[in-house]
Amino acid sequence: MITEKKKNGQTHLMVTPVGLGTWVFGGWPWNESSDKDSESALEAALDLGVCLIDTAPIYGCGRAERIIGRTLKRLKKRDDLILSSKFGLCWEEGKRKKIWKDASSKNLLREIDDSLKRLETDRIDIYHLHWPDEKTPIGETMETLLLLKEKKKIGKIGLSNFNLSPLQEACRYAPVEVLQVPYNYFARDIEKEILPFCIEKNIVTLTYGTLCKGLLTGKFSGDKKPNDPVRNRSWDAIFAEENYEKCLNEIETLKIKAAVENLTLAQWAIRWTMHQPGVTCALIGARNAKQVRENFTSLSQESS
Ligand SMILES: NC(=O)c1ccc[n+]([C@@H]2O[C@H](COP(=O)([O-])OP(=O)(O)OC[C@H]3O[C@@H](n4cnc5c(N)ncnc54)[C@H](OP(=O)(O)O)[C@@H]3O)[C@@H](O)[C@H]2O)c1
């Protein structure tokens, strides 16, 4: 169960096994993206029946949220889907490399209104604290989230990138309804503690990095490494020399497995993630409509 939806005055429970991630819509720190491609990617995803869109203010310092807001308005699709966003990462206007954490009540009350404005909506269905903020007591953050829920500015309370102990601590102040964490065939840390805890406590999981930032599409090879201008992939441990070589070798075997099932490697990797125990919804990023079509085609049949 992901969230309640109002239709004809009735509350419906929605289930969706995949969602579109929009980090790349913001451009930096990915290779530059175009608004036109991002809008087409979103439109293609909606056409294919994708009904959960994940974003964050920090993705392009407001740019991804603005693209989503105006596209949904143009297509009149806001009420058909689940919007997921985040708070707690701030940036200095004009100096996007200076980013800091702030999960305080004061900042949260400011951020929610900024996000609602950019997304051109009156509610965010799932609202996550993006990263734990060691300087703010988690009780303060959770109580403010409860207040926003009471005011109906948000639907479900979410946390992101929390380890077990801080997650358990947060649960003491308010129910954590959704947890967003990294997970894919190569990055399996959450299997040990986090997924079993979420299963036990009935916490919805949105897992991200399903394609391992493109590695699980098979498009990289030994001499064809990603070439990102800033951090991102070059900064990810999985792209460090020894891990990268190991993954590339394994990818050759995975490609054969995928081919046997008549799938591309990306499609195989997405299906692998969405079928793991404890995974509610796999988030998949895509920078254009072509990537969306490869990633999401035929998934709706799979989920029914
Ligand atoms: N909560 C958090 O802290 C957090 C962190 C990360 C992500 N997320 C969320 O999860 C979403 C998904 O994660 P992600 O975007 O990092 O990673 P991902 O889904 O593993 O990878 C997405 C990237 O892979 C490439 N790609 C996707 N489909 C492709 C295809 N069919 N063929 C070739 N390349 C393809 C694209 O980048 P290129 O074209 O540049 O190769 C795309 O941006 C994010 O967009 C965001 O919404 C959340």
Side-chain angles (χ1 to χ4, degrees):
M1 184 257 291
I2 290 276
T3 195
E4 287 95 6
K5 289 250 309 176
K6 293 257 178 190
K7 209 174 181 186
N8 303 328
Q10 301 250 313
T11 295
H12 289 258
L13 299 179
M14 291 264 312
V15 180
T16 179
V18 283
L20 177 70
T22 62
W23 186 9
V24 73
F25 287 14
W28 183 90
W30 293 87
N31 283 320
E32 199 39 65
S33 57
S34 89
D35 285 12
K36 197 165 159 266
D37 281 349
S38 301
E39 287 187 26
S40 313
L42 179 53
E43 204 164 339
L46 299 174
D47 285 348
L48 286 167
V50 173
C51 60
L52 186 145
I53 309 296
D54 180 70
T55 190
I58 197 68
Y59 299 163
C61 300
R63 182 175 168 200
E65 284 191 332
R66 275 192 292 271
I67 291 170
I68 294 166
R70 68 170 179 260
T71 307
L72 294 182
K73 191 172 184 187
R74 174 171 59 80
L75 299 172
K76 300 190 175 59
K77 287 282 176 79
R78 167 65 188 100
D79 289 336
D80 300 346
L81 50 82
I82 300 159
L83 257 188
S84 155
S85 194
K86 314 185 187 83
F87 67 94
L89 287 183
C90 306
W91 65 90
E92 197 173 314
E93 227 41 81
K95 292 187 188 170
R96 60 185 174 180
K97 281 178 212 162
K98 191 173 175 220
I99 293 166
W100 66 94
K101 294 175 182 172
D102 187 351
S104 67
S105 181
K106 186 174 170 219
N107 182 55
L108 173 41
L109 294 174
R110 176 191 66 81
E111 279 208 50
I112 181 71
D113 287 337
D114 289 350
S115 281
L116 289 173
K117 212 163 162 191
R118 285 189 292 258
L119 288 164
E120 304 194 34
T121 185
D122 58 0
R123 72 188 187 282
I124 292 172
D125 302 306
I126 306 174
Y127 200 46
H128 306 81
L129 170 55
H130 205 147
W131 282 90
D133 168 20
E134 301 73 18
K135 289 199 217 82
T136 304
I138 189 67
E140 176 182 332
T141 313
M142 298 303 283
E143 278 157 21
T144 314
L145 283 167
L146 275 177
L147 182 81
L148 293 179
K149 197 172 152 106
E150 267 169 40
K151 288 185 169 179
K152 302 205 182 319
K153 288 192 177 188
I154 67 170
K156 301 284 176 193
I157 295 178
L159 297 178
S160 170
N161 299 307
F162 270 60
N163 291 327
L164 186 61
S165 165
L167 174 60
Q168 288 169 320
E169 163 78 0
C171 290
R172 289 177 43 218
Y173 297 96
V176 175
E177 294 165 292
V178 181
L179 183 71
Q180 189 167 143
V181 271
Y183 189 53
N184 61 57
Y185 182 82
F186 289 131
R188 315 260 287 256
D189 287 356
I190 63 166
E191 287 176 354
K192 213 166 144 206
E193 292 182 332
I194 294 289
L195 285 178
F197 181 78
C198 291
I199 293 171
E200 185 196 327
K201 300 288 179 197
N202 214 11
I203 298 174
V204 162
T205 58
L206 303 189
T207 56
Y208 71 75
T210 306
L211 295 175
C212 199
K213 295 181 175 162
L215 187 59
L216 278 166
T217 66
K219 69 178 172 181
F220 301 126
S221 58
D223 53 357
K224 217 167 135 211
K225 258 190 156 182
N227 178 26
D228 296 326
V230 210
R231 327 182 284 177
N232 201 8
R233 283 185 274 225
S234 48
W235 149 85
D236 193 320
I238 215 113
F239 288 90
E241 211 57 57
E242 60 294 354
N243 291 333
Y244 185 62
E245 290 303 320
K246 238 167 67 190
C247 291
L248 285 182
N249 287 337
E250 199 164 352
I251 276 175
E252 292 313 308
T253 315
L254 297 182
K255 277 182 180 166
I256 296 166
K257 275 192 189 182
V260 169
E261 293 177 47
N262 211 14
L263 299 171
T264 67
L265 179 59
Q267 291 166 342
W268 183 89
I270 291 164
R271 281 160 181 76
W272 181 90
T273 302
M274 60 191 255
H275 290 305
Q276 297 311 303
V279 173
T280 314
C281 172
L283 297 175
I284 306 146
R287 70 162 60 245
N288 53 40
K290 183 170 178 274
Q291 289 184 355
V292 164
R293 281 192 279 273
E294 174 176 356
N295 300 346
F296 291 97
T297 297
S298 83
L299 285 177
S300 48
Q301 287 97 301
E302 182 127 345
S303 61
S304 55

